[in-house]
Structure formats: structure tokens, C-alpha cells
Amino acid sequence: MNDTVTLDHGSGGKKTLELIIGVFAGSFGMTEPFTDSAILKITGDRLAFTTDSYVVNPLFFPGGNIGKLAVCGTVNDLAVSGARPLYLSASFIIEEGFPLEKLDSIVSSMAVEAKKAGVLIVTGDTKVVEKGKCDGIFITTSGTGMVLPEREHISSGIRIQSGDKLIVNGSLGNHAIAVLGARNNLSFTTPVVSDCASLNHLIESVCNICSEIRFMRDLTRGGLAAVLNELAEMTGKGMIINESFVPVDDPVRGACEMLGFDPLYLANEGKVLIVTGAGTESEVLRILRSDPLGKESQIIGEIIPDRRKQVILNTVSGGKRIVDMPSGVQLPRIC
């Protein structure tokens, strides 16, 4: 590791994992796999517990703001762990001089999103720091939810088998490009809007009907590429994905080509990877596409036996390339 923390350590890729293993996990007694939520057993019940901090810049962007993002992100981390989200906390670090009108707008959007998701914000904390000591406002949300016994395996992927299918619920990269555009005052011919959304109702509808859901993970920092590589390490298996089946909106694809980004590595805030047993993918796709948040769902590939634990992309040009774990940060402060 470097002698100092760099922006790469916040990328959600290799450097983030190095920081977790090299600094936090050993000191706190944490063991792999590192999942989006801790699953705790308390008097026979299973409780999912997660926490996340939000430093997105700018605070307001097409499709959301830091407050909506904070609620959606924590709700989704619980939902992809097989939990039914119930309660959130919200803590605020606010810079002196921050406009109360903006604060009210952020908090109101949190209340609206929490109501949509069916969760309650029940506790929190507020700190104010001197002007120049904080970039407007930072938010930390934590959440808890109940995990049904039949869903306890979902966050760890321990039931994944070769032949299982990989599904995403829609187009990739919209959040990252929307935030980038707002940050740099970029204008797109077709507006790009963040996909920021709470996915717990969508996920619940899938889990209620299909008992062969093997794994789920929301595609935030590091994007699809990071999640697939984490999954390969967790399971000791490989993956093949087909580029032609990976949904990417034309404005996002155009921005990526112009700016040199790969949509597989871009952050999303309303997208989930679902791994389902072979033979169940059509039913899962039907359920997802019946919901507005899943209408563009696609089967993008499958799990394969591969001791090298590689993620292979079948490209649109007919070739193949390895999709590596992100090693650096494409866009800092994206969430």
C-alpha cells in the first residue's frame, strides 16, 4: 500500500479492497467475504445491518440529490443482501453558511424516498463545521432489515453453480454520466438522468416468486466490472458476458466514447446484478420487466467453471477480452 490515502482507494476496485484488508478488516476482526451488509443472528432472527457515507459532487444532479442518493443506496445495500429494509439512521456534517433552503430540499427528498421504499428514518445526528472545512454537506446513513432464512445465502453467493445466468435490470452508467455532466456543465443532445432509485420492491417481487436466486449486488462504485470480479473471487468460478446484450443508453455510450470511459466500470445507483439458476431466467426476466425499474432488464451472460476466476467479455466485434477489476478511480465523488 501507499504511505497515504489516494482517490484510488475510494474507487470500489483493487485499491479499495487493499485498504479494507490492509487497514480495517484486521483491526476490526472482519473476515471475507466482504458483503454489502452484515448478516447478524439475534435470538433466532437474522438481521441485516449496513452503513454508507455520501460525498457526491455536485449535491444536486439530474434525477436526484445527495439526500435521495443516501436513502436509495442504503435501502439497496439491504435489499441485495436478501433483507426487507425497515429502519434507517441519517447523520449530517454541514458546513457553516450552507443555505437552509438547500438543506430543506435535501431532507425533504430523503423523506419522500423513504416513504416510497417503505422504510422509517428513526434516528440521526447533526454536526456543523467551520466554513471551508466541509464541502457543503456530507451524509451518512445506516440501515437495518430482516432477512428471511431462505434468503440468507444471497449476499455470499455460496449456492452459485456453473450455468447460472447473469441478469441486470437496465442500462448502465447513467448515474455516473449524469453526475459528471452536472459537475462540469456538460450538455448532452439527449439529457442523461441518474438512475438513482430504491430497488427493494423490485427485488422483493423477484424473491417472492423465484426460489433460485443465487446472488444479488447493486452496481455502484466500480460498476458491473467490479461486482463480477468480486463474485469470481468469492465463488472461484469464471463468467462470460456478451457485450451486445449489456444495455447502455445511446447518450451514455456516446459520452463514454467521447470521454474515454468504459460503461462496464461506471457507477450506477439503481441497477442490480442478479444471478439465478439455469432454467429460471425467463421467469425472473418476466417479473423484472413488469416493473418500471426493470423494464430494460437483460440476460447478459452466465457462470462458467474457470479456476483462473476470469471475467470474459464477448465483444460486439467478435473478439474476447478480459474484464479486470478496476485498479483506479474513473470519477471521484460519484456517490
Side-chain angles (χ1 to χ4, degrees):
M1 288 183 58
N2 298 332
D3 292 333
T4 60
V5 175
T6 70
L7 285 174
D8 288 344
H9 287 114
S11 67
K14 290 180 182 178
K15 290 294 185 180
T16 300
L17 190 59
E18 286 180 9
L19 190 68
I20 291 171
I21 294 173
V23 176
F24 301 118
S27 297
F28 297 153
M30 297 174 173
T31 57
E32 296 187 57
F34 302 120
T35 58
D36 278 353
S37 300
I39 307 299
L40 311 173
K41 294 183 180 180
I42 302 174
T43 61
D45 292 323
R46 292 164 176 81
L47 179 74
F49 178 48
T50 190
T51 189
D52 214 337
S53 296
Y54 296 87
V55 296
V56 66
N57 175 33
L59 300 175
F60 295 83
F61 48 84
N65 61 52
I66 190 173
K68 179 183 179 182
L69 184 63
V71 172
C72 293
T74 299
V75 166
N76 292 343
D77 281 350
L78 291 169
V80 299
S81 300
R84 290 173 175 164
L86 296 173
Y87 303 107
L88 304 185
S89 69
S91 295
F92 302 84
I93 299 176
I94 308 170
E95 182 181 14
E96 176 190 18
F98 190 73
L100 283 173
E101 182 180 3
K102 288 187 177 180
L103 179 61
D104 184 64
S105 178
I106 289 167
V107 172
S108 295
S109 70
M110 294 177 74
V112 169
E113 192 59 35
K115 186 175 182 179
K116 284 183 183 178
V119 298
L120 296 176
I121 299 174
V122 294
T123 189
D125 184 49
T126 302
K127 296 291 191 298
V128 177
V129 298
E130 302 94 331
K131 193 171 186 63
K133 301 297 184 181
C134 167
D135 195 0
I137 184 171
F138 299 149
I139 301 176
T140 296
T141 44
S142 299
T144 60
M146 298 305 299
V147 182
L148 299 180
E150 62 269 24
R151 300 181 189 175
E152 187 180 4
H153 67 279
I154 286 177
S155 65
S156 65
I158 58 174
R159 294 187 184 176
I160 284 180
Q161 303 173 19
S162 298
D164 288 349
K165 305 304 180 183
L166 308 173
I167 300 175
V168 295
N169 67 307
S171 298
L172 304 183
N174 292 59
H175 175 72
I177 297 301
V179 171
L180 175 68
R183 182 183 300 171
N184 295 283
N185 295 315
L186 301 178
S187 59
F188 304 107
T189 303
T190 302
V192 178
V193 178
S194 169
D195 61 343
C196 183
S198 296
L199 300 174
N200 55 317
H201 298 312
L202 175 71
I203 289 170
E204 183 72 16
S205 65
V206 172
C207 290
N208 281 342
I209 295 176
C210 182
S211 61
E212 295 299 317
I213 300 300
R214 307 284 171 81
F215 176 82
M216 291 184 291
R217 183 69 59 84
D218 52 336
L219 307 177
T220 52
R221 288 177 301 166
L224 177 65
V227 171
L228 291 176
N229 277 278
E230 288 174 7
L231 185 57
E233 284 294 327
M234 289 166 60
T235 61
K237 297 184 182 297
M239 284 144 221
I240 287 185
I241 56 175
N242 298 299
E243 187 176 22
S244 59
F245 295 157
V246 176
V248 181
D249 289 341
D250 287 341
V252 172
R253 191 182 304 279
C256 287
E257 292 173 354
M258 179 176 64
L259 300 170
F261 295 131
D262 186 336
L264 298 181
Y265 291 84
L266 292 180
N268 312 271
E269 290 296 340
K271 296 297 179 292
V272 58
L273 172 74
I274 297 176
V275 182
T276 189
T280 65
E281 63 272 19
S282 295
E283 180 67 2
V284 172
L285 212 57
R286 182 191 65 79
I287 299 166
L288 289 171
R289 287 176 174 173
S290 68
D291 189 294
L293 295 176
K295 62 183 180 180
E296 297 178 352
S297 298
Q298 291 285 351
I299 302 167
I300 62 168
E302 66 179 64
I303 306 290
I304 60 171
D306 183 357
R307 292 181 180 178
R308 297 170 298 176
K309 299 178 285 188
Q310 291 182 334
V311 180
I312 307 295
L313 179 73
N314 291 330
T315 67
V316 292
S317 61
K320 296 180 184 293
R321 70 175 173 92
I322 296 174
V323 179
D324 287 321
M325 176 70 99
S327 58
V329 61
Q330 289 202 61
L331 296 170
R333 295 185 62 179
I334 208 69
C335 61

